[in-house]
Amino acid sequence: MEDRLSQKEVRRLMKISGNVKGSVILADIDYVKIKGGEGAVKKLKKRMKEIRIKFELEKVKPMEMYPEAISVIIVLLAKEILGLDEKGVFDMGKAAVKLSFFIKILTRYFISPKRCFEESPRYWAKHFDFGELEAVEFDEIEKYAVIRIRGYKFHPIMCQYHRGYFLQIAQLVLGKKEISVEETKCVFRNDAYHEYVISWK
Ligand SMILES: [Zn+2]
């Protein structure tokens, strides 16, 4: 029970501004449905009501913008309802890529992994109206890439979620099985940004 999202935490999150595209939220609702069935989606709706979030899950449109706070709350509730551990949240981030129709289209246009890497800041800007993704380094010889997220601070759960997300995108564009993503810097550890190092073999 200690993992239950509190009203206080909901209030804190809802004060943080910034919006995200509905497609991201839809992927998370899909994940809840796939993992826990209709029952889990019902629970999600019930919990949203309990924490007094007025948000109709069935009315989310992929191209419309919604508060990122709601998106984070949905991930936190999914963790609570599905009983996800850290690895589970990581897998949820990975699944968000697989469940996104737009990513499949986008990755088809990316000719090379390097090009995809260079395009990633624009990709972020298409999904979020705040924060920034910085493509820092791409080393094809040493086989690693570094990206940073600036201006994004909601909840540490999203660090795991994004780690999974980046891993799945890397898998799509690199077509390799042995990829790892480590978060080497984090705003929740007093760094100025979140930094992820993607490496592959
Ligand atoms: Zn972080």
Side-chain angles (χ1 to χ4, degrees), residues 159 183 185-188 194 196:
C159 301
E183 191 184 32
K185 284 189 177 130
C186 181
V187 296
F188 293 104
H194 308 265
Y196 295 88

Side-chain angles (χ1 to χ4, degrees), residues 112-125:
S112 69
K114 187 162 194 286
R115 184 73 209 285
C116 172
F117 171 78
E118 285 161 358
E119 287 288 322
S120 60
R122 276 185 53 209
Y123 180 79
W124 174 279

Side-chain angles (χ1 to χ4, degrees), residues 39-125:
V41 178
K42 251 190 196 165
K43 266 186 207 164
L44 178 61
K45 285 181 194 165
K46 186 171 162 260
R47 285 292 285 129
M48 301 266 291
K49 236 182 229 164
E50 277 171 11
I51 58 172
R52 286 174 237 133
I53 296 288
K54 283 201 183 78
F55 189 78
E56 288 181 86
L57 296 181
E58 49 281 291
K59 286 191 180 159
V60 179
K61 293 189 179 71
M63 298 306 282
E64 254 169 56
M65 301 299 278
Y66 303 92
E68 171 65 5
I70 299 250
S71 175
V72 173
I73 285 168
I74 289 173
V75 175
L76 284 164
L77 290 176
K79 175 182 183 262
E80 181 188 302
I81 291 160
L82 302 171
L84 304 177
D85 56 9
E86 208 171 80
K87 167 78 169 47
V89 174
F90 171 79
D91 286 341
M92 189 175 176
K94 279 175 74 177
V97 176
K98 290 187 210 154
L99 293 167
S100 166
F101 170 70
F102 295 102
I103 291 175
K104 277 175 205 147
I105 292 183
L106 274 173
T107 48
R108 221 170 277 164
Y109 287 117
F110 294 141
I111 302 132
S112 69
K114 187 162 194 286
R115 184 73 209 285
C116 172
F117 171 78
E118 285 161 358
E119 287 288 322
S120 60
R122 276 185 53 209
Y123 180 79
W124 174 279

Side-chain angles (χ1 to χ4, degrees), residues 7 13 23 43 55-57 67 110 130 144 149 155 178:
Q7 197 65 49
L13 288 167
S23 58
K43 266 186 207 164
F55 189 78
E56 288 181 86
L57 296 181
F110 294 141
F130 70 102
Y144 73 89
I149 298 176
H155 191 285
E178 263 188 86

